[in-house]
Amino acid sequence: MADALPPIVDLRQSATALRVQRGVMRMLRERHDMACYAEVPLANGRRADVLAVGPRGEIWIVEIKSSLIDFQVDRKWPEYREFSDKFFFAKPPELEAGIFPESEGLIVADGHDGAILRDSPDTPLPGARRKALMLKLARLGADRIHILMDPGPR
């Protein structure tokens, strides 16, 4: 069923945001060979909506905005740049693209697929930060698999 919740979800996202997340992750996996994580806590206390790792270790962060008000009230997005090589906003098809800064990447997505409307500038991560983030992602991925395999107490 297209509207079923994914097995790992923290219930803070709207139905629209979850649809955009699904389309973004499908597009990144299928067309860019990226492994995707949803809701990744970062060292600065922020949480990336989607964090993707490419085949050469490149790291992209995607910040999902499901409505105009969601974009207007959330000004933390510049803090994601220091944790990614590329930063994108993602939006549903019905949200105007013109509200997003021209300086940032932009993706449009629905529950089935997505497309990059505007590429993000490359801002390569320092080696030490990349290493720390990759270690965090390896542990996060293993923890999430464990939760799916054994949903009991941790």
Side-chain angles (χ1 to χ4, degrees):
M1 171 190 316
D3 290 333
L5 289 175
I8 301 174
V9 65
D10 67 10
L11 300 177
R12 295 186 308 165
Q13 299 84 9
S14 69
T16 300
L18 286 172
R19 283 191 301 274
V20 171
Q21 179 188 78
R22 182 185 304 125
V24 164
M25 292 173 75
R26 284 179 175 178
M27 182 266 302
L28 291 175
R29 265 194 335 265
E30 292 168 10
R31 281 192 233 121
H32 298 277
D33 191 23
M34 301 193 92
C36 298
Y37 293 80
E39 300 301 319
V40 176
L42 302 172
N44 63 359
R46 300 295 181 207
R47 184 185 280 286
D49 292 334
V50 175
L51 192 150
V53 180
R56 291 179 303 282
E58 63 273 28
I59 296 173
W60 296 4
I61 288 182
V62 179
E63 174 70 0
I64 296 169
K65 293 298 165 206
S66 56
S67 67
L68 176 60
I69 193 73
D70 182 20
F71 176 72
Q72 290 174 330
V73 301
D74 184 0
R75 292 295 170 198
K76 67 185 184 301
W77 61 267
E79 297 176 42
Y80 294 119
R81 282 194 201 117
E82 63 187 279
F83 292 92
S84 63
D85 298 305
K86 288 189 175 219
F87 173 80
F88 294 85
F89 284 104
K91 69 173 206 72
E94 63 273 12
L95 186 58
E96 278 298 315
I99 67 170
F100 297 98
E102 294 273 335
S103 60
E104 308 304 329
L106 184 61
I107 296 171
V108 61
D110 59 20
H112 304 286
D113 198 8
I116 295 176
L117 298 178
R118 183 174 55 236
D119 200 8
S120 168
D122 279 315
T123 55
L125 281 170
R129 174 149 297 162
R130 182 180 311 281
K131 181 179 177 182
L133 194 49
M134 293 298 253
L135 179 60
K136 179 179 191 60
L137 292 172
R139 293 179 54 81
L140 179 64
D143 282 348
R144 288 181 177 180
I145 290 170
H146 185 202
I147 289 168
L148 288 173
M149 292 175 68
D150 181 10
R154 293 181 73 173

